[in-house]
Amino acid sequence: MKKCSLLFFTLIILSACVKDKPQDSIQPQVQLTTAKKVYIINEGNFGSANASVSLYDVGNDAVVDNIYKVQNSTNPSIGDVAQSLSFINNKFYLVVNNSGKIIVCDNQFKKLTQITNLSSPRYILQITNQKAYVSDYNANSVSIIDLNSNTKTGSISCKGWTEKMELIYNKAFITNMNSNYIYVVNTINDLITDSVYVGVNAGSLVIDKNDKLWVLSSGNSINAVSGSLTRINTITNQIETTFNFPANNFPKNLCINKTKDTLYFINKGIYRMPIYASAIPATEFIAKGNKNFYGLDINPANSFIYASDAIDYVQKSNIYVYDANGNLTKNFKAGINANGFYFE
Amino acid sequence: MAKIKNKQFACGFNCIKAFVVFLFLLSNNLFCQDTVSLQKVEVTATKIELSQIGKKTEKLDTIIKRQFKFNSIADVLSSNSTIFIKNYGPGSIATTSFRGGNASQTAVLWNGFNIQNPMLGQSDLALMPCFLFDNINLEYGGSSHLWGSGAVGGSIHLNNNLLFSKGLTTSLSYGIGSFGLRNASTSLSFSKKRFVSSFKLYNISSENNFLFADTSDKIQSIKQQKNSAYNYAGIMNEFKFLINSKQIISLTIWLNNNKRRLPSINNLSESKIYQQDYSDKVTANWSVIYPNHKSIIRAGYFNDKINYTDSLKSDFSKNNSQTFIAENENYFNWGKSHQFNLGVNYTSNSANSNNYNSLKNLSRLSFLAGNKFTFFNNRWLTYLSIRADYLSVGKLPLTGNVSTEFNLTKKIILMASAAKIYRQPTLNELYWMPGGNINLKPEQGFSYDGTIAYKNQINNLLIYISGAAFTRQINNWILWTSSANGNPTPINLMQVWSRGTETTWRFEYKKNKLIYKLNFGTAYILSTTQQINQENNNSLNKQLIYTPRYSANAVFSVTYNKFDVCFYNHYVGYRFTASDNSQWLNPYHVSSVRLNYTVEFKYAQFILFSACNNLFNTDYKIVSGRPMPLRNFELGLTLQNKTTLK
């Protein structure tokens, strides 16, 4: 009996057979071409400090997993939740939401400095060569940044979660996820001059070729308020048209093509809508399938549609590239929770 | 522990006093079982005993309990078991992963009451000081049929054990440690023939500005944690009264107020996060005991508050939840030694938060029927049960269990159990704004396990070896996403298969005043996604995040007279942090040494305690972005006095 039990225990111990050490994915040496690059912003997971920026070289169809880490090997961590990336005055501004900072890099992605004293920054909008605005999740204000010294110099009080922004005619239009309004700021004196009712959870906006502002309100699933799309005259700040989505539609990520005549957004699937359309398209342009579309943008170089699929939010995202007709041309992996793109 | 148990039972047959003790034991779920009790002679079982039939269980040794007196349940379990304690750093939240499950799939039971926070579906083990509890037991495997929702991977039992006729015991402790750790506690226990009361008070605080290694920073690799101070304080008051030879009533109150500052991720930015966890727990118990019948009526009321403040982000979150539990259990003996049990449980949870749109309620009514069969003069025990639950929101599955254990020889025991298990969605999963999903179905599945144990005494050497294997499949596994943007929603995303093997090795050698003990445990657990309803999802067939495949722990102790020294080491293998297993945290070995020295005087004893944690200065992280301290120390003194009462 003793032998029997000894055998049993030996078997139990030997049964441990899966090798524990995971295979390190070896980053292939990427020889970058001169073609224009696509930068993919990967939020990472909230609280995990695993944000990254992927670089997709269209020229040789290669992906660099974490360009920031490659270029900043002495201190390779971006921080917690990379929210957005902008290119201003030949520098990259990488907004790191939950670390409360903006990392400023040269055009090769080598870190130059960082802007601190921010609460929970989301997006940066260049106003002039010297000045930028930064929206914020929690600060109840929009920060004013001096682009020469890369420091925060002031703020514009705006209660709630400010999100994406657009600039036209010395006015900054600022979305606010917590109020039902977008706010209009006079960029000369940094004062809020007006607000426009656009509905709940308005987070994205674009300006079309006729200088009209389009604002997408996502609605609210808990209170069963559907989303809406609003066109605003940027001179008068008056609403020209509002398109209401059918029940249980909660659209997000409004973007526009290079010629500024076609809108795109995510509403489970991806929708395309000409700016002169009389109604919201009834059918999706690119079907959702089992994907979890999370980020969307249009490459101005060729009007290709870049969409990220966050899958379960805790693994590497899939990036789908569709041609202008919506045919899938490419599919590759970026970092965790890819939420947006910067096209060189 | 075996020694204590024998002592209790030896005197149990001597006098009336012991009879009282025996009755008391019966009424309070306190059969001090060893891991595998070869003799379960007690006919009048309780739920804890029933849940342990056919299952692997572990009980913390008294030496270990003494050595971790100043520490939390999270600390003692991470050093002394193979279950994974997901600890966000000293003082921060600590939850469990039991047999490949997550924190909401572990039941934390205090004297048989489930004390998980109903909003989160989990308990923070960092807020529970060891010294409050007389017994700390681990039960491996699912037992939703007895403990309801959440008892999927395993259960942690924290029990209080008040004994009658023990006289007056007073104790005063003070401990200090690295990074401003201060720990004061006192206890007073007044125990007469028919009445016993106990009072415990504690206050634990620390600056907690520990040093940690940051290998990613090539310039400054040793850093100091910031904004991580904490202060935990509480009282526990227990009363027990023997009304007559057939009835016992008891009342227990546990109030605690825990304040802590929470550091930023990897200490990268300034943090002003402050969290207060406040909790009132009151339970009452009335037991009626006849020779062939026993009934228990119990009730519990728990009020939990979690206030989270991040002034830098203007984030002020207030969460308040109440749980009310009323329960009746009845046990009837029949035949020669069989026992039928019938129970009903009503649990009501209500909660309010700034993230709910109104006060939310969940109530559950459960009926349980079971029978314990005892054959061959207690050599073979079998427990069969069935449970029906009715939830106010959605349906819960019918659950049940078959478990059995058989003493093959005097040295070998075989155990097996099969159970249907479930976890109901938590209040946050249902109602959190934004994202809560009212249409969630409960997680449910089947769990099977088998254990073989060998116990033998060869001269002065006591040997105990056990091996266990389990398999468990859970459908409708709920996944809470962790994205910063958008509105993540919990969904019944996948099917998960967890399986694995565990071994336990214990050797105890006694010679004169010397006792050597070696405890060694291993766990090998695969917990993989079997089905997922998303295309291009690379998590299929991959190990779940924060579920180590390999873990092991070893404790070597030497006791000489009044002196104990223990060496602890635990190992945790790779933990993936991405569901496609593309990111992970490295394995670690962490060791510590703890010493206790008791000086006896006529009326009192002094117990000196010291510890060195992270002996080899290991740089490790249990959770991504949450550094753990390098080498640190603790020192403490307890003054204890016992007086016989007339």
Side-chain angles (χ1 to χ4, degrees):
Chain A
M1 186 47 69
K2 212 170 164 182
K3 275 181 186 168
C4 218
S5 56
L6 268 175
L7 183 72
F8 178 77
F9 292 123
T10 318
L11 276 175
I12 282 180
I13 291 160
L14 292 178
S15 68
C17 54
V18 170
K19 199 181 161 198
D20 201 26
K21 191 172 169 37
Q23 277 206 322
D24 226 327
S25 60
I26 295 152
Q27 176 80 48
Q29 277 290 323
V30 175
Q31 199 64 47
L32 296 178
T33 65
T34 51
K36 290 193 170 177
K37 313 291 184 304
V38 178
Y39 293 88
I40 300 142
I41 302 102
N42 308 303
E43 283 175 16
N45 291 118
F46 187 87
S48 295
N50 57 352
S52 62
V53 176
S54 307
L55 181 150
Y56 174 50
D57 187 342
V58 187
N60 59 4
D61 199 20
V63 181
V64 180
D65 262 356
N66 189 346
I67 184 69
Y68 185 86
K69 186 178 173 184
V70 171
Q71 297 292 64
N72 298 278
S73 54
T74 53
N75 198 349
S77 175
I78 288 175
D80 203 28
V81 188
Q83 185 58 39
S84 63
L85 179 69
S86 301
F87 195 68
I88 301 169
N89 296 344
N90 203 31
K91 294 184 194 94
F92 280 108
Y93 283 74
L94 179 59
V95 183
V96 193
N97 173 243
N98 200 38
S99 297
K101 65 179 180 185
I102 299 173
I103 300 176
V104 185
C105 297
D106 66 12
N107 59 10
Q108 298 300 306
F109 243 90
K110 285 199 165 56
K111 181 178 170 179
L112 300 170
T113 181
Q114 64 182 29
I115 306 171
T116 54
N117 275 333
L118 301 167
S119 171
S120 194
R122 305 284 296 176
Y123 294 91
I124 183 166
L125 174 74
Q126 182 180 12
I127 305 296
T128 64
N129 278 339
Q130 283 82 41
K131 184 164 84 174
Y133 289 167
V134 175
S135 61
D136 200 290
Y137 175 71
N138 256 324
N140 289 315
S141 63
V142 171
S143 304
I144 304 166
I145 303 296
D146 176 352
L147 292 172
N148 293 326
S149 62
N150 287 314
T151 52
K152 179 177 167 178
T153 54
S155 61
I156 305 162
S157 183
C158 184
K159 197 170 182 329
W161 165 5
T162 50
E163 192 72 352
K164 286 182 178 165
M165 303 170 287
E166 282 290 350
L167 176 72
I168 188 164
Y169 303 138
N170 288 332
K171 289 190 225 179
F173 287 85
I174 297 171
T175 55
N176 189 320
M177 300 285 278
N178 293 144
S179 78
N180 294 322
Y181 293 85
I182 62 160
Y183 294 88
V184 187
V185 174
N186 177 335
T187 58
I188 298 173
N189 59 14
D190 303 326
L191 292 173
I192 292 180
T193 56
D194 202 354
S195 61
V196 185
Y197 184 91
V198 287
V200 65
N201 275 331
S204 52
L205 75 181
V206 293
I207 291 170
D208 70 14
K209 63 178 187 181
N210 303 322
D211 289 352
K212 305 290 182 193
L213 182 74
W214 293 82
V215 182
L216 185 64
S217 142
S218 293
N220 181 335
S221 59
I222 297 277
N223 299 331
V225 179
S226 281
S228 60
L229 182 63
T230 309
R231 192 178 73 213
I232 295 168
N233 183 315
T234 50
I235 297 168
T236 63
N237 304 339
Q238 296 298 308
I239 291 176
E240 293 184 342
T241 315
T242 299
F243 296 102
N244 288 312
F245 282 79
N248 292 316
N249 277 243
F250 309 105
K252 59 183 183 180
N253 291 63
L254 181 69
C255 40
I256 196 160
N257 63 347
K258 191 189 178 187
T259 49
K260 299 196 170 194
D261 55 11
T262 311
L263 305 170
Y264 293 82
F265 55 86
I266 297 172
N267 185 17
K268 290 183 178 159
I270 296 168
Y271 280 70
R272 182 171 74 165
M273 177 177 166
I275 55 170
Y276 299 117
S278 57
I280 285 163
T283 53
E284 48 197 12
F285 177 58
I286 295 165
K288 176 186 181 291
N290 279 326
K291 297 180 199 75
N292 176 11
F293 284 126
Y294 192 61
L296 177 72
D297 216 340
I298 314 299
N299 189 345
N302 53 8
S303 293
F304 276 26
I305 301 154
Y306 281 69
S308 70
D309 174 5
I311 312 169
D312 60 0
Y313 304 97
V314 279
Q315 63 178 293
K316 288 183 151 197
S317 311
N318 287 320
I319 304 298
Y320 295 97
V321 183
Y322 302 91
D323 66 19
N325 298 318
N327 301 310
L328 184 67
T329 61
K330 174 78 187 159
N331 171 16
F332 61 90
K333 289 271 173 195
I336 292 175
N337 290 332
N339 77 356
F341 304 89
Y342 171 74
F343 301 102
E344 209 170 54
Chain B
M1 200 62 234
K3 204 174 157 189
I4 290 172
K5 178 191 170 189
N6 292 340
K7 227 179 184 174
Q8 284 165 355
F9 281 89
C11 61
F13 298 103
N14 280 342
C15 57
I16 294 168
K17 186 169 99 178
F19 177 60
V20 173
V21 174
F22 184 55
L23 274 181
F24 154 70
L25 279 168
L26 291 182
S27 70
N28 285 282
N29 308 344
L30 292 165
F31 285 98
C32 302
Q33 285 192 344
D34 269 325
T35 303
V36 179
S37 170
L38 294 174
Q39 292 287 316
K40 286 183 175 169
V41 293
E42 301 81 20
V43 186
T44 319
T46 62
K47 242 162 86 172
I48 288 186
E49 196 205 351
L50 293 174
S51 75
Q52 295 186 346
I53 293 172
K55 291 239 185 67
K56 176 185 168 178
T57 58
E58 277 176 346
K59 178 175 184 127
L60 285 189
D61 193 286
T62 40
I63 294 176
I64 288 165
K65 274 202 66 236
R66 198 153 65 218
Q67 294 212 327
F68 282 85
K69 180 176 178 172
F70 291 97
N71 302 84
S72 69
I73 297 293
D75 294 333
V76 72
L77 293 185
S78 53
S79 293
N80 291 284
S81 76
T82 54
I83 64 174
F84 177 58
I85 303 293
K86 192 177 173 191
N87 190 333
Y88 285 71
S92 289
I93 187 169
T95 59
T96 55
S97 167
F98 225 123
R99 283 190 166 174
N102 58 32
S104 327
Q105 295 169 343
T106 306
V108 178
L109 300 149
W110 174 49
N111 297 324
F113 287 102
N114 195 331
I115 54 168
Q116 283 167 325
N117 181 302
M119 295 177 75
L120 303 164
Q122 58 190 42
S123 293
D124 187 352
L125 301 176
L127 304 180
M128 300 178 187
C130 277
F131 103 105
L132 287 180
F133 311 104
D134 301 303
N135 295 311
I136 299 164
N137 295 342
L138 299 176
E139 179 191 323
Y140 291 78
S143 45
S144 299
H145 58 287
L146 287 166
W147 306 121
S149 173
V152 169
S155 310
I156 297 169
H157 293 273
L158 308 171
N159 294 326
N160 294 100
N161 178 4
L162 280 188
L163 300 174
F164 288 105
S165 299
K166 288 285 167 188
L168 181 72
T169 312
T170 50
S171 163
L172 196 64
S173 300
Y174 191 75
I176 58 168
S178 305
F179 322 118
L181 178 68
R182 297 286 179 273
N183 191 321
S185 66
T186 180
S187 66
L188 179 89
S189 153
F190 177 84
S191 167
K192 296 199 68 166
K193 273 186 184 176
R194 292 181 57 179
F195 177 74
V196 49
S197 101
S198 149
F199 174 76
K200 290 168 185 158
L201 173 77
Y202 62 93
N203 186 69
I204 305 160
S205 65
S206 174
E207 284 299 314
N208 201 24
N209 49 356
F210 58 86
L211 299 176
F212 65 93
D214 181 359
T215 47
S216 71
D217 190 337
K218 304 278 189 296
I219 301 152
Q220 189 197 352
S221 63
I222 300 290
K223 289 183 175 163
Q224 187 162 31
Q225 185 66 290
K226 286 180 276 190
N227 198 55
S228 53
Y230 60 85
N231 178 265
Y232 303 153
I235 55 167
M236 189 182 276
N237 218 337
E238 301 164 75
F239 304 95
K240 192 180 301 258
F241 181 59
L242 184 70
I243 300 172
N244 55 39
S245 63
K246 294 186 177 62
Q247 295 184 68
I248 297 175
I249 52 168
S250 63
L251 179 76
T252 309
I253 301 161
W254 176 18
L255 312 175
N256 58 80
N257 187 4
N258 310 293
K259 301 169 189 169
R260 52 189 160 185
R261 301 195 171 277
L262 300 174
S264 66
I265 315 305
N266 270 336
N267 218 6
L268 285 169
S269 55
E270 190 189 0
S271 168
K272 287 194 173 169
I273 304 172
Y274 170 75
Q275 183 173 317
Q276 184 177 19
D277 291 61
Y278 177 84
S279 163
D280 302 327
K281 292 183 172 70
V282 182
T283 68
N285 193 323
W286 176 35
S287 308
V288 184
I289 303 142
Y290 290 94
N292 284 315
H293 164 228
K294 177 178 150 186
S295 287
I296 303 168
I297 292 175
R298 306 172 343 129
Y301 172 79
F302 312 135
N303 178 27
D304 293 299
K305 281 182 191 165
I306 301 177
N307 293 339
Y308 177 95
T309 306
D310 185 349
S311 56
L312 283 180
K313 297 192 173 162
S314 311
D315 190 354
F316 305 100
S317 166
K318 286 191 176 189
N319 307 282
N320 190 358
S321 63
Q322 283 93 27
T323 299
F324 174 71
I325 302 173
E327 191 169 62
N328 167 238
E329 292 167 31
N330 305 285
Y331 302 88
F332 307 94
N333 300 338
W334 62 274
K336 206 174 164 191
S337 52
H338 306 308
Q339 189 187 60
F340 176 69
N341 71 294
L342 202 62
V344 57
N345 172 298
Y346 172 76
T347 300
S348 163
N349 300 127
S350 59
N352 211 344
S353 154
N354 343 30
N355 290 89
Y356 291 178
N357 59 10
S358 61
L359 180 77
K360 299 296 177 190
N361 266 297
L362 263 189
S363 50
R364 190 180 71 215
L365 184 64
S366 318
F367 298 96
L368 166 75
N371 199 82
K372 183 177 96 168
F373 298 94
T374 311
F375 303 109
F376 308 130
N377 199 20
N378 291 312
R379 273 184 66 185
W380 185 19
L381 295 178
T382 294
Y383 182 61
L384 295 174
S385 73
I386 187 160
R387 178 189 177 108
D389 291 276
Y390 301 92
L391 186 68
S392 56
V393 178
K395 267 188 172 174
L396 292 177
L398 194 70
T399 52
N401 155 80
V402 185
S403 55
T404 187
E405 63 184 66
F406 182 61
N407 292 280
L408 192 65
T409 68
K410 279 188 176 170
K411 294 171 187 164
I412 293 175
I413 182 165
L414 304 173
M415 296 184 276
S417 77
K420 169 99 189 196
I421 44 182
Y422 80 94
R423 177 178 82 82
Q424 75 187 40
T426 63
L427 283 161
N428 281 1
E429 286 166 340
L430 293 168
Y431 300 113
W432 189 260
M433 279 196 345
N437 180 357
I438 191 74
N439 299 316
L440 279 178
K441 291 179 226 150
E443 297 176 341
Q444 53 178 297
F446 288 93
S447 147
Y448 306 92
D449 56 275
T451 307
I452 177 169
Y454 168 82
K455 195 176 185 178
N456 198 6
Q457 173 108 36
I458 306 166
N459 302 321
N460 291 339
L461 179 69
L462 189 73
I463 301 172
Y464 174 81
I465 303 170
S466 88
F470 76 94
T471 175
R472 185 182 73 231
Q473 186 160 306
I474 300 285
N475 295 320
N476 295 331
W477 185 290
I478 297 169
L479 207 69
W480 249 114
T481 57
S482 56
S483 141
N485 190 13
N487 298 347
T489 296
I491 43 174
N492 294 110
L493 190 68
M494 54 190 190
Q495 186 186 78
V496 173
W497 179 32
S498 307
R499 65 280 189 196
T501 55
E502 292 151 342
T503 64
T504 305
W505 311 75
R506 281 186 205 149
F507 303 95
E508 189 176 327
Y509 180 79
K510 280 184 194 170
K511 197 173 182 188
N512 305 324
K513 288 178 177 175
L514 262 174
I515 306 168
Y516 297 97
K517 280 188 188 175
L518 175 69
N519 285 0
F520 181 66
T522 66
Y524 166 63
I525 290 162
L526 296 179
S527 201
T528 53
T529 311
Q530 292 305 108
Q531 260 181 36
I532 193 143
N533 55 1
Q534 272 178 312
E535 73 184 51
N536 278 326
N537 188 320
N538 271 3
S539 71
L540 193 65
N541 298 320
K542 300 272 168 55
Q543 183 82 356
L544 296 188
I545 61 169
Y546 287 110
T547 309
R549 288 192 191 113
Y550 291 85
S551 57
N553 80 298
V555 182
F556 178 64
S557 70
V558 181
T559 303
Y560 179 74
N561 213 359
K562 303 284 178 192
F563 185 74
D564 307 314
V565 55
C566 293
F567 174 80
Y568 299 84
N569 183 71
H570 71 277
Y571 171 81
V572 178
Y574 288 91
R575 284 93 60 225
F576 292 103
T577 57
S579 65
D580 57 356
N581 294 0
S582 63
Q583 294 186 7
W584 58 82
L585 292 164
N586 286 325
Y588 58 86
H589 268 286
V590 178
S591 307
S592 59
V593 176
R594 288 173 176 258
L595 294 116
N596 269 30
Y597 181 61
T598 309
V599 190
E600 295 268 9
F601 293 100
K602 194 176 175 189
Y603 295 108
Q605 55 176 321
F606 286 96
I607 305 163
L608 258 166
F609 156 80
S610 67
C612 172
N613 300 313
N614 196 356
L615 196 61
F616 302 115
N617 237 2
T618 309
D619 163 27
Y620 71 110
K621 278 187 188 120
I622 301 175
V623 177
S624 175
R626 302 293 175 182
M628 297 297 286
L630 295 170
R631 190 182 298 123
N632 61 89
F633 302 91
E634 289 171 61
L635 187 70
L637 180 70
T638 299
L639 171 64
Q640 212 162 284
N641 168 277
K642 268 187 185 180
T643 322
T644 317
L645 290 171
K646 283 182 186 167

